[in-house]
C-alpha cells in the first residue's frame, strides 16, 4: 500500500491513461537465453560462474523461474488516497489484452474495494521493485494471479489492523468490506481513505498470515462484468500511446536502415537532404553485427524539427549499401532448400517405438508437406519511442513489451550506469511480439545523444516496420503416417524444418530451440505407438523473432491438416477421427515425451490433459452444428491444439465461390484455460485470435528477393479487413476451482484457426491446401 505522495505524483504524471484492443504476448527472451545452453557466448563469465553455483538448486517454474520473479508487496502496488480512491499499479504492458483491468480487479476483489473508486497507473520498468515485466508468453495472469490476490488481501488486512489499533479492539472483530472498515459490536466504521494513512505506516504482514477470500465471495473475479477500465479514453482518443508522447523542445527522427539484414552503409551523399528545411542533424548509426540480438540495425539517422521534414530528408539521402552476407536471400529458392532438408533424416527430438519398422509393415502410407511463409507482426501502431540523453542520464518513453530489456540495452548502448537510465511504458497499439525487442528505443536515445540531449521522438513508418522487422520463421513441415487396416496411424514421422529464433542471439544455429520444439511438436499428444519427430537443419537469413503463438502456428497447421487428410483417406469423419487419435482421457507428463520446456511450468502441476483437449474439440463442433448437411460450395473444418498450457479448438464454416474466393462465414472457438479471472477478456482474446488467424491463413505473407522484403504496407501485406470478419462464437469452458493452475490466453487461440479453415476448404471443394496463405490458390 503506497501512501507516498512523491511516488503517487510520479505514477500519475508519467503514466499514460489507456489501452488498445488487440493482443499479444510472447515467449520471454531472457527466459530463452537462460535455456540456450549451447549459446554460451550470450553469457558473461560472471553469469557462467553464477550458473555453476546454482546448478544443484531445484529447478524453478512459473514466475519463480523468470528474471526477478514476482513481488506481492501491497506498498508497491496499492495506494489509497484520503478520499478513498484506490490506485493500483500495473507492472505489465497493456497492448489491448486488458491486463490493466484484470490486474486491478484481482487486487480490488481481495481488497474489497468498490470498483467505481479504483484507478490504474502504469509502472515504469524496474523489475527489482515490481517483479518480472516481460509481457509475453501469455503469462501475465498465469504467473501473477495468486500474487495479486495476496497484494489485495494484505492491504485489506492492514486496513483492519489500523482500525483495530485506533479503536482498541481485536483485529478479528474488524471487517473491511465494500470500501468500509467496521466494528460491529461498537457500530463504529470508517472509510478506506480514513484508515489508509495509519495502515500504510504498518509493516506488511507475513505472507502466510494473510488469508485469501473464499472464491465463493468473489465480487469481480470470474464474473465477466467488468469492462475495460480505460475504455472511454481509448474510444474517445484520449489514450496515450508511444506515438502520442510529447515533450517540450522535442525533435523528430527517422532512420534509413540497411535493406538487407547484416548490410551497412558503403557510401553516403547527404548534401540534398541537408537542404530540406527543418533538418537538424544527419549522422550514421553503426549497426550491431550478426547476430544483432535487440540492438539497432544501423544506417543513417535524420533528426529534424518535425516528422515531415525528417521523412523528406530521408527520401533525399543518396546511400549505397553493402548488402552483406544475406544479399542473395530469396524465399522461393530457400523454400526449395527447406523442402530438400525436410525430406532427409534430421536431428531426432523425440523417438518412441519403431517408426521405420511400423511404416514398412503398414497397410497404407501417406505423406504430405506443409508450408508457412514468413510473417511480420505489423501492429497498428508501429514501433515508436521518445528519449533524451543529457548530463549522464537517459529517460525514455516507449510502447514496449519489455521495459527491462529496453533499460538494459540503453545501458549497453550509452555506457551509462544502470541507475541513470529509466524507461517509461506507454500504451501499445498492438505488439504481437515485435515490441519485446527494444532496438527502436535505443535508436531514439542515440539520436538524442547525437543532438546534444534534446528529447527526440523516433518513428518507424509502416514501411519501416515491414521492411526491417523480426519476422516469424518460414517453415516446411514434412509428415508421414503408416496406417492400419482401419486407417488409424501405427507410425507417425514429422520433420519440422525452420530457422530458429536462436539465430538472433548466436551465430549460425541450425536447429530449433527446445521452447520452439515444445510448441506443438514434441508434445503432440496422439495415441500412436510409434512416433519419431525430427528437426533438420535450417539457416536464418533475416531477423527471426517472436510472433503471436510462435512455432505453434506451423506445427498446428501441419498436424491438424494432416489428421484431416488421414481421416479422408480412412473414410472417416474428421472430428471423430481426431478424437480417436487423441485417445482416451489421460494425463501426460510432457517431460516423458521430450518436452523439457513445458512453457516454463512445472510438469507435475501442468501435465498435458487429453480429456481437456477432447472437450474443447467437442464444444467447438457442437457449437457450429458439426455433421449438418452443407450446401454446395460450403464446408466445415475443425482443429484442436494445446499451447501455452491451454486447450483450444476451432470449428470453421467457409464458403468458396465459383472463382475460388474463400469467405469464412462462421467460427466457433472453444477454450479451456483453467480458472478464468476475467471471462470477457478471455472472450475478446479468442475473438481477436480468430481474426488474426484468418489473416495468416488467407492473406498474410512476407517474401524476400535479393535479401529485401517485397511487401511495403497493408496493401501488400494484407490483414483481414472488417468486411471479411465472420460471426465468431466463443465457448468458455471455465474451471471454478481457483486453486487450479491458470493457462495462457493471449496466444492459444491463433494456432487452430488456419488448419480449421484449410480443412473447411477441403470439405467445400475437395481441394487440399498445404501452403499458406490460401489467397488465390483455389482460383489458380
Amino acid at each position: 500500500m503506497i501512501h507516498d505522495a512523491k511516488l503517487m505524483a510520479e505514477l500519475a504524471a508519467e503514466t499514460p491513461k489507456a489501452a488498445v484492443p488487440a493482443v499479444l504476448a510472447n515467449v520471454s527472451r531472457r527466459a530463452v537465453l537462460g535455456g540456450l545452453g549451447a549459446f554460451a557466448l550470450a553469457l558473461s563469465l560472471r553469469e557462467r560462474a553464477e550458473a555453476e553455483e546454482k546448478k544443484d538448486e531445484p529447478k524453478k517454474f512459473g514466475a519463480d523461474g523468470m528474471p526477478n520473479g514476482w513481488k506481492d508487496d501491497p506498498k508497491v502496488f496499492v495506494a489509497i488516497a484520503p478520499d478513498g480512491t484506490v490506485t493500483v499499479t500495473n507492472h505489465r504492458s497493456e497492448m489491448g489484452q486488458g491486463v490493466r483491468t484484470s490486474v486491478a480487479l484481482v487486487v480490488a476483489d481481495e481488497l474489497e474495494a468498490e470498483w467505481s473508486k479504483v484507478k490504474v497507473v502504469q509502472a515504469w520498468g524496474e523489475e527489482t521493485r515490481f517483479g518480472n515485466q516481460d509481457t509475453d508468453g501469455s503469462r501475465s495472469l498465469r504467473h501473477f494471479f495468486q500474487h495479486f490476490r495476496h497484494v489485495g488481501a494484505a492491504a485489506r488486512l492492514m486496513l483492519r489492523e489500523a482500525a483495530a489499533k485506533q479503536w482498541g479492539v481485536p483485529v478479528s472483530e474488524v471487517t473491511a468490506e465494500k470500501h468500509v472498515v467496521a466494528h460491529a459490536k461498537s457500530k463504529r466504521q470508517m472509510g478506506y481513505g480514513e484508515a489508509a494513512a495509519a495502515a500504510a505506516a504498518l509493516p506488511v504482514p507475513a505472507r502466510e498470515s494473510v488469508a485469501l477470500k473464499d472464491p465463493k465471495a468473489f465480487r469481480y473475479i470470474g464474473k465477466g462484468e467488468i469492462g475495460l477500465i480505460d475504455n472511454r479514453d481509448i474510444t474517445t482518443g484520449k489514450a496515450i500511446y508511444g506515438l502520442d508522447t510529447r515533450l517540450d523542445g522535442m525533435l523528430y527522427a527517422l532512420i534509413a536502415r540497411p535493406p538487407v539484414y547484416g548490410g551497412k552503409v558503403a557510401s553516403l551523399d547527404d548534401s540534398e537532404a541537408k537542404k530540406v528545411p527543418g533538418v537538424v542533424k544527419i549522422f550514421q548509426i553503426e549497426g550491431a553485427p550478426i547476430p544483432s540480438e535487440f540492438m539497432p540495425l544501423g544506417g543513417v539517422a535524420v533528426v529534424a524539427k518535425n516528422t515531415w521534414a525528417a521523412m523528406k530528408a530521408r527520401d533525399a539521402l543518396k546511400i549505397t549499401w553493402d548488402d552483406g552476407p544475406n544479399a542473395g536471400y530469396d524465399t522461393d529458392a530457400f523454400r526449395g532448400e527447406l523442402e530438400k532438408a525436410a525430406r532427409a533424416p534430421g536431428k531426432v527430438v523425440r523417438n518412441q517405438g519403431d517408426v521405420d519398422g511400423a511404416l514398412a509393415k503398414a497397410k497404407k502410407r501417406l505423406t504430405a508437406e506443409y508450408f508457412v511463409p514468413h510473417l511480420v507482426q505489423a501492429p497498428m501502431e508501429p514501433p515508436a519511442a521518445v528519449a533524451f540523453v543529457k548530463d549522464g542520464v537517459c529517460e525514455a518513453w516507449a510502447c514496449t513489451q519489455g521495459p527491462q530489456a529496453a533499460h538494459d540495452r540503453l545501458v549497453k548502448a550509452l555506457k551509462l550506469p544502470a541507475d541513470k537510465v529509466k524507461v517509461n511504458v506507454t500504451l501499445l497499439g498492438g505488439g504481437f511480439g515485435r515490441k519485446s525487442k527494444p532496438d527502436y528505443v535505443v535508436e531514439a536515445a542515440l539520436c538524442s545523444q547525437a543532438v546534444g540531449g534534446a528529447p527526440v521522438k523516433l518513428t518507424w513508418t509502416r514501411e519501416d516496420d515491414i521492411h526491417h522487422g523480426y519476422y516469424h520463421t518460414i517453415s516446411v513441415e514434412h509428415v508421414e503416417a503408416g496406417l492400419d487396416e482401419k486407417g488409424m496411424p501405427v507410425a507417425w514421422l514429422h520433420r519440422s524444418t525452420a530457422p530458429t529464433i536462436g539465430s538472433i542471439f548466436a551465430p549460425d544455429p541450425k536447429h530449433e530451440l527446445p521452447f520452439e520444439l515444445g510448441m506443438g511438436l514434441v508434445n503432440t499428444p496422439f495415441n500412436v505407438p510409434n512416433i519419431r519427430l525430427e528437426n533438420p537443419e535450417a539457416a536464418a537469413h533475416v531477423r527471426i523473432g517472436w510472433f503471436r503463438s510462435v512455432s505453434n502456428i506451423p506445427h498446428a497447421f501441419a498436424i491438424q491438416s494432416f489428421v484431416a487428410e488421414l481421416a479422408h483417406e480412412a473414410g472417416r469423419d474428421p472430428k471423430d477421427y481426431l478424437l480417436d487419435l487423441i485417445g482416451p482421457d489421460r494425463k501426460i507428463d510432457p517431460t516423458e515425451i521430450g518436452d523439457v520446456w513445458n512453457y516454463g511450468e512445472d510438469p507435475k502441476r501442468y501435465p498435458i490433459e487429453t480429456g481437456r483437449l477432447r472437450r474443447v474439440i467437442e464444444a467447438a463442433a457442437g457449437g457450429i452444428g458439426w455433421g449438418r448437411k452443407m450446401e454446395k460450395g460450403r464446408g466445415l473444418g475443425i482443429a484442436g491444439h494445446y499451447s501455452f498450457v491451454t486447450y483450444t479448438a476451432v470449428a470453421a464454416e467457409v464458403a468458396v465461390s465459383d472463382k475460388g474466393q474463400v469467405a469464412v462465414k462462421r467460427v466457433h472457438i472453444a477454450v479451456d484455460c483453467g480458472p478464468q479471472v476475467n471471462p470477457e477478456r478471455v472472450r475478446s482474446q479468442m475473438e481477436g485470435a480468430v481474426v488474426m488467424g484468418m489473416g495468416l491463413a488467407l492473406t498474410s505473407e512476407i517474401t524476400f528477393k535479393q535479401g529485401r522484403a517485397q511487401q511495403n504496407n497493408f496493401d501488400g501485406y494484407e490483414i483481414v479487413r472488417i468486411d471479411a470478419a465472420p460471426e465468431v462464437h466463443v465457448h468458455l469452458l471455465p474451471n471454478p476451482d481457483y486453486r487450479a493452475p491458470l493457462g495462457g490466453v493471449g496466444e492459444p487461440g491463433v494456432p487452430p484457426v488456419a488448419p480449421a479453415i484449410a480443412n473447411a476448404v477441403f470439405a467445400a471443394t475437395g481441394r487440399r491446401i498445404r501452403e499458406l496463405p490460401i489467397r488465390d490458390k483455389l482460383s489458380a
Side-chain angles (χ1 to χ4, degrees), residues 51-337:
E52 183 67 21
E53 290 176 0
K54 295 178 179 177
K55 68 180 181 181
D56 295 329
E57 293 182 1
K59 185 175 181 179
K60 295 179 179 178
F61 298 102
D64 290 334
M66 295 300 294
N68 292 307
W70 49 270
K71 306 291 180 185
D72 63 0
D73 185 344
K75 292 190 177 183
V76 171
F77 292 104
V78 180
I80 302 178
D83 68 354
T85 300
V86 173
T87 302
V88 177
T89 298
N90 169 57
H91 76 310
R92 316 298 290 167
S93 294
E94 174 63 78
M95 45 198 156
Q97 78 277 41
V99 70
R100 299 171 78 177
T101 303
S102 297
V103 164
L105 74 82
V106 172
V107 174
D109 208 327
E110 288 286 355
L111 179 59
E112 270 289 332
E114 292 294 337
W115 186 249
S116 61
K117 297 180 179 179
V118 174
K119 295 168 57 179
V120 177
V121 294
Q122 183 68 43
W124 60 86
E126 187 181 349
E127 292 189 349
T128 54
R129 179 182 183 86
F130 299 109
N132 183 266
Q133 293 180 270
D134 291 344
T135 309
D136 52 21
S138 301
R139 296 182 299 107
S140 290
L141 288 180
R142 190 172 105 219
H143 279 185
F144 296 100
F145 171 56
Q146 294 297 344
H147 304 309
F148 277 117
R149 285 186 70 189
H150 184 270
V151 166
R156 185 184 179 205
L157 176 56
M158 293 167 73
L159 290 168
R160 292 172 55 216
E161 289 176 339
K165 186 176 181 180
Q166 179 175 329
W167 294 332
V169 300
V171 175
S172 58
E173 294 181 0
V174 176
T175 60
E177 295 177 352
K178 299 184 178 179
H179 242 85
V180 174
V181 190
H183 182 242
K185 289 183 179 179
S186 63
K187 297 184 179 180
R188 285 176 290 188
Q189 64 180 35
M190 66 176 75
Y192 277 13
E194 297 173 83
L202 295 173
V204 175
R207 182 178 177 83
E208 51 275 11
S209 70
V210 177
L212 302 179
K213 288 172 68 172
D214 183 335
K216 293 177 181 175
F218 283 161
R219 298 172 61 199
Y220 310 129
I221 297 171
K223 306 302 181 185
E225 298 170 352
I226 302 294
L228 286 176
I229 199 166
D230 36 23
N231 193 46
R232 175 170 291 277
D233 282 350
I234 294 170
T235 54
T236 57
K238 295 180 181 176
I240 304 298
Y241 297 87
L243 277 169
D244 297 324
T245 305
R246 299 280 190 279
L247 296 180
D248 291 342
M250 191 169 72
L251 300 175
Y252 302 80
L254 278 84
I255 295 175
R257 300 175 183 81
V260 180
Y261 180 45
K264 59 184 180 182
V265 176
S267 66
L268 169 66
D269 177 356
D270 59 4
S271 55
E272 292 300 316
K274 287 180 176 176
K275 297 177 183 176
V276 176
V279 168
V280 174
K281 190 176 183 68
I282 297 174
F283 67 102
Q284 290 192 37
I285 292 179
E286 184 177 352
I290 296 174
S292 61
E293 206 244 15
F294 295 164
M295 299 304 280
L297 291 169
V300 181
V302 178
V303 184
K305 293 182 178 178
N306 57 71
T307 300
W308 179 249
M311 294 175 70
K312 298 301 290 182
R314 187 175 70 166
D315 291 344
L317 293 172
K318 297 176 182 176
I319 306 172
T320 302
W321 299 101
D322 174 353
D323 286 340
N326 294 311
Y329 184 49
D330 181 307
T331 39
D332 287 343
F334 189 63
R335 176 177 174 176
E337 294 181 31

Side-chain angles (χ1 to χ4, degrees), residues 13 32 76 333 355 383 394 431 452 470 549 553 779:
V32 170
V76 171
V355 169
C394 172
Y470 286 84
S549 302
I553 293 170
S779 60

Side-chain angles (χ1 to χ4, degrees), residues 425-443:
V425 182
T426 71
L427 289 175
L428 285 69
F432 315 117
R434 171 62 182 95
K435 293 171 182 173
S436 64
K437 300 95 172 173
D439 51 331
Y440 56 100
V441 189
V442 177
E443 289 176 338

Side-chain angles (χ1 to χ4, degrees), residues 466-550:
I466 290 177
H467 289 172
H468 307 290
Y470 286 84
Y471 302 95
H472 177 62
T473 192
I474 188 172
S475 170
V476 169
E477 308 288 320
H478 176 98
V479 195
E480 298 181 28
L483 308 176
D484 63 16
E485 61 279 359
K486 295 181 180 178
M488 295 303 294
V490 294
W492 182 281
L493 170 64
H494 184 162
R495 296 193 186 108
S496 176
T497 314
T500 173
I501 286 173
S503 58
I504 64 170
F505 300 116
D508 203 28
K510 294 295 196 301
H511 295 288
E512 295 178 47
L513 297 175
F515 85 85
E516 293 168 301
L517 297 168
M519 290 185 168
L521 182 66
V522 295
N523 49 12
T524 301
F526 291 161
N527 191 26
V528 178
N530 304 289
I531 297 177
R532 187 168 74 240
L533 310 176
E534 300 176 5
N535 179 218
E537 291 186 354
H541 300 283
V542 298
R543 294 195 296 185
I544 304 296
W546 295 272
F547 180 99
R548 186 182 184 185
S549 302
V550 204

